[in-house]
Amino acid sequence: MSRSHTGDARLPLHRALLRLLPFAKADLPRIGLGGLSALCASIVALMIPTALEWIVGGPLSTGQTEPVVWGALAVLGLGLVEAVMVWLRRWFVLAPSASIEYNVRTRFYNRLQRLPIEFHDRWQGGQLLSRMMQDIGQIRRWLAFGLIMLVVNLLTVLIGAALLFQWHWALGSVFLVSGIPVFVQAFRFERRYGMLTRRSQDQQGDLATSVEESVHGIRVLKAFGRGPDALTRFTRQAEGLRSTEMSKARSIAVIDFVLVFMPELAFAACLALGIWLAQAGELEVSQLFAYFAMATILRWPMESIGFLFSFLLDTRTATDRIFEVFDSADTITEPEAPVALTAPRGELRFEGVRFRYQDARSSERDLLDGVDLAVAPGETMALVGLTGSGKTTLTTLPTRLYDVTGGRVTLDGVDVRDLSIVELRTRIATAFEDATLFSATVRENVLLGRDDLDISSSEAGRVMREALEVSQAEFVEELPDGVSTMIGEEGMSLSGGQRQRLALARAVAARPSVIVMDDPLSALDVDTEERVQGELRRVLAGTTALIVAHRPSTVALADRVALLEHGRITAVGAHTDLMASSAGYRAVISSIEHTDDASRDPNPTSELDIIAERESRQESARNEGSTR
């Protein structure tokens, strides 16, 4: 999602920047000392023209050598003091600005982790990335340089302008009058440049999103030969950004022209006026020389104001963009008085559950429209339904990836909203169909949900090996460094089946009371799937499981099956019973059977027959055991 900007909604400049104060409060003393050092450097520089006036008007005019040497040494000493003050400014501000950047960035990342999934559904990854890196870096640079130099240079211009009056009021007046067009242009500049810098930073976020999508989807682009089309779209976006940057450059060029031209014009006017005053005997040559030395020193502070002002506006926009994320509503909140589960059993219930997505039209009915379902402790429940019936959405509710909009979900009789989020997501683990892995080792990915274990301990190793065995992920031993092998970004160096098996191992290793699986075996071949199912039956014997079944073979795992239709559970029971009693269930099973990947077997057997055969073998084994 590209975040558009509406200027009318923005806070005033000073209030927007003051929002950074909580992050900077601890470092303000050092930043203040840095500013004081910079101001001292400027004041020392302003003292040099006075020393030059004494040299020109005194010993230099009389031809005395020794006082000139002492005057030169005094100027050298002032220069050294100025250099030391500049060094102190940098020394004082660099560490605090880096500390503030660290604080903002970690808080920003933590905020991203806390915000609900619906927030991430609406925001482009590139927009968040540009805020995380570019905008926060912009704030650090402004605190380390822009803020201090803008304040110090403004004060330097004011102090220097006042000092110009000591030589002649007319010269000082000319200098002040020349500053009026500068302030008028700065006011106009603020309004236009603020809009342009916001547009530019949003376009940079869109461009980052395009790069991110192209990198992640490089296989698709290459496979379909759509690289040139992607380049065309990227070029169009880059051209838009270039156009905005050119508009920014033109705005800066206008104010820079005014900031450079007006002092030059004032110089010319003051030179003519100064010569006339000197001829009239109202101004000495040494005073005129000192005046121009002072004016020369003031040129950099005056010319820098345009750059520093644009720096300020860029930072204000960066601050706005960052606080758009901080101000986003966190609807998945911690309860005020969390309930603790003292003896977790793993009973999962959906009681009158309703849910609708935030962007759903008011005329649309709820996606989940009163779901009632009870999964007993230790039971494995399969959830089936046609595409779009809300199965995957239902699996996001127990762990509060989304919150219900009506009814409630309970774990062991406690509303999941009354449990702390940490405890809730420790008790319930999830394995998604779209397996996401992280740029870390196999060991770190599998043990992601076990922060109670030392990852290098023997106990962690045992848990990991068992989880890998359950998911039939023996392929990890063939990786270059075994379980210490670094997995590439999002695990794209692995096949889809390998990623799914590691994701399933991660869920198993978490040892939850309840495990929710959204068709976690869809990328596996028939033989591997059957071995994994056998292991899962053993492991899930004491764990409550809710499994979304996108194909009939997954139903074989379940003790019971629930049918989701039109936002409600319309039938619950054993597979064979539902096949006999529910026409809707038969239609769904038939539908998903025909859309399954029959190409896995050149002479495919109906998966319904496979399920029936498995149930028959299990029944025979039970009878044989009872006979013995």
Side-chain angles (χ1 to χ4, degrees):
M1 172 180 175
S2 178
R3 307 297 297 173
S4 61
H5 165 59
T6 54
D8 293 339
R10 295 204 303 176
L11 292 170
L13 178 62
H14 68 284
R15 289 184 59 190
L17 294 175
L18 281 175
R19 301 190 74 184
L20 295 172
L21 187 59
F23 298 100
K25 186 174 292 185
D27 296 297
L28 283 180
R30 286 198 59 162
I31 293 177
L33 289 173
L36 184 61
S37 299
L39 183 59
C40 289
S42 296
I43 292 174
V44 169
L46 294 176
M47 294 170 62
I48 293 177
T50 303
L52 294 176
E53 179 188 4
W54 175 80
I55 294 173
V56 173
L60 194 61
S61 62
T62 60
Q64 297 176 345
T65 305
E66 185 177 347
V68 172
V69 173
W70 285 110
L73 290 174
V75 173
L76 176 61
L78 290 173
L80 288 173
V81 173
E82 181 185 4
V84 170
M85 291 296 105
V86 170
W87 178 82
L88 282 175
R89 171 183 64 84
R90 292 181 177 274
W91 184 79
F92 276 126
V93 302
L94 286 181
S97 62
S99 174
I100 293 169
E101 179 186 32
Y102 167 81
N103 291 335
V104 175
R105 184 162 284 141
T106 52
R107 284 274 299 277
F108 189 89
Y109 184 81
N110 181 58
R111 185 66 177 173
L112 291 180
Q113 296 296 311
R114 294 286 302 174
L115 285 169
I117 297 298
E118 64 183 10
F119 166 86
H120 294 278
D121 290 343
R122 292 183 288 110
W123 281 72
Q124 294 175 343
Q127 286 289 345
L128 298 175
L129 182 63
S130 69
R131 284 162 168 78
M132 169 69 80
M133 303 308 298
Q134 296 176 6
D135 292 342
I136 295 177
Q138 170 82 18
I139 290 173
R140 175 189 57 78
R141 292 189 296 273
W142 180 70
L143 289 171
F145 176 77
L147 170 62
I148 290 175
M149 296 313 299
L150 180 61
V151 173
V152 169
N153 285 2
L154 285 173
L155 290 175
T156 300
V157 170
L158 293 176
I159 294 171
L163 291 175
L164 292 176
F165 280 87
Q166 70 178 315
W167 290 295
H168 199 281
W169 66 269
L171 294 177
S173 298
V174 170
F175 190 87
L176 285 181
V177 169
S178 69
I180 295 176
V182 173
F183 288 102
V184 172
Q185 187 61 38
F187 176 75
R188 294 177 177 175
F189 174 78
E190 191 273 339
R191 299 183 64 182
R192 174 166 173 74
Y193 190 82
M195 176 190 67
L196 289 173
T197 190
R198 177 60 200 238
R199 183 190 304 166
S200 171
Q201 286 168 272
D202 282 345
Q203 288 173 329
Q204 290 177 40
D206 291 338
L207 208 60
T209 297
S210 294
V211 174
E212 179 187 36
E213 290 176 346
S214 297
V215 171
H216 289 169
I218 191 64
R219 290 172 173 80
V220 176
L221 292 176
K222 286 183 176 293
F224 286 89
R226 308 312 293 178
D229 291 334
L231 176 60
T232 299
R233 289 193 300 272
F234 180 84
T235 302
R236 187 163 53 247
Q237 289 180 306
E239 174 60 29
L241 176 59
R242 187 191 72 85
S243 177
T244 303
E245 289 296 327
M246 291 298 295
S247 297
K248 285 175 60 180
R250 284 191 288 270
S251 295
I252 294 174
V254 170
I255 195 169
D256 280 350
F257 171 80
V258 174
L259 288 168
V260 172
F261 176 72
M262 291 311 300
E264 295 289 355
L265 185 63
F267 266 48
C270 288
L271 180 60
L273 180 59
I275 293 174
W276 181 81
L277 290 173
Q279 289 177 340
E282 295 187 25
L283 189 69
E284 296 180 4
V285 174
S286 61
Q287 293 175 320
L288 183 60
F289 179 83
Y291 173 86
F292 277 99
M294 180 72 75
T296 301
I297 291 174
L298 292 177
R299 283 193 61 178
W300 151 244
M302 289 187 65
E303 292 176 3
S304 70
I305 288 175
F307 158 70
L308 293 171
F309 197 43
S310 66
F311 200 173
L312 171 69
L313 296 177
D314 285 338
T315 304
R316 180 257 173 78
T317 299
T319 303
D320 287 345
R321 281 163 48 88
I322 289 168
F323 275 93
E324 282 178 354
V325 176
F326 281 127
D327 293 340
S328 296
D330 183 5
T331 56
I332 310 298
T333 56
E334 292 278 6
E336 293 183 3
V339 176
L341 294 177
T342 54
R345 296 177 294 114
E347 180 189 39
L348 183 65
R349 285 183 175 271
F350 299 84
E351 301 177 358
V353 167
R354 294 180 178 273
F355 180 82
R356 64 186 298 110
Y357 286 100
Q358 201 172 42
D359 57 355
R361 293 190 297 270
S362 57
S363 58
E364 295 179 6
R365 66 174 180 81
D366 290 349
L367 177 61
L368 300 178
D369 193 18
V371 171
D372 290 295
L373 180 65
V375 188
E379 180 182 29
T380 298
M381 175 78 73
L383 181 66
V384 300
L386 295 175
T387 301
S389 60
K391 304 184 300 296
T392 296
T393 298
L394 189 69
T395 64
T396 65
L397 302 180
T399 53
R400 298 189 67 194
L401 297 181
Y402 292 95
D403 261 345
V404 298
T405 51
R408 66 174 191 161
V409 180
T410 66
L411 178 62
D412 293 334
V414 179
D415 193 319
V416 293
R417 291 169 293 188
D418 293 331
L419 298 170
S420 72
I421 293 176
V422 172
E423 179 171 12
L424 174 64
R425 292 173 183 171
T426 300
R427 302 295 183 191
I428 304 177
T430 306
F432 300 100
E433 179 182 12
D434 183 15
T436 298
L437 302 177
F438 297 92
S439 298
T441 65
V442 171
R443 179 186 292 105
E444 290 168 331
N445 272 280
V446 173
L447 296 176
L448 183 68
R450 294 300 300 269
D451 55 1
D452 60 318
L453 292 177
D454 179 359
I455 198 170
S456 60
S457 67
S458 58
E459 173 62 15
R462 186 187 63 78
V463 170
M464 179 188 62
R465 286 191 298 274
E466 182 180 11
L468 292 173
E469 180 181 348
V470 169
S471 64
Q472 298 294 297
E474 64 280 351
F475 69 88
V476 299
E477 301 299 336
E478 301 173 7
L479 296 176
D481 298 313
V483 295
S484 298
T485 301
M486 288 292 296
I487 296 176
E489 185 179 11
E490 294 192 0
M492 297 305 291
S493 58
L494 303 176
S495 70
Q498 288 174 330
R499 290 198 301 272
Q500 278 197 339
R501 278 179 278 175
L502 287 182
L504 180 59
R506 179 170 59 201
V508 171
R511 298 286 179 85
S513 302
V514 177
I515 187 168
V516 178
M517 295 188 285
D518 184 4
D519 197 18
L521 310 178
S522 60
L524 304 187
D525 60 78
V526 174
D527 292 336
T528 303
E529 179 188 9
E530 187 167 1
R531 290 198 303 272
V532 171
Q533 286 179 344
E535 289 296 321
L536 281 175
R537 280 188 174 277
R538 177 177 61 82
V539 171
L540 297 180
T543 302
T544 306
L546 178 62
I547 306 175
V548 172
H550 290 285
R551 56 187 183 178
S553 59
T554 309
V555 177
L557 273 175
D559 299 311
R560 290 191 299 160
V561 187
L563 174 63
L564 181 62
E565 290 183 300
H566 310 298
R568 296 186 177 183
I569 299 296
T570 58
V572 179
H575 165 70
T576 51
D577 294 339
L578 292 181
M579 287 294 292
S581 62
S582 174
Y585 182 76
R586 289 194 298 272
V588 169
I589 291 294
S590 176
S591 173
I592 62 178
E593 180 187 27
H594 287 306
T595 58
D596 196 13
D597 187 10
S599 63
R600 294 180 304 178
D601 190 336
N603 185 24
T605 303
S606 168
E607 295 204 57
L608 296 176
D609 294 336
I610 294 174
I611 295 171
E613 181 182 349
R614 287 175 181 170
E615 292 180 344
S616 176
R617 288 201 305 266
Q618 292 165 2
E619 182 66 25
S620 298
R622 284 195 294 270
N623 291 337
E624 182 179 354
S626 61
T627 301
R628 290 178 180 175

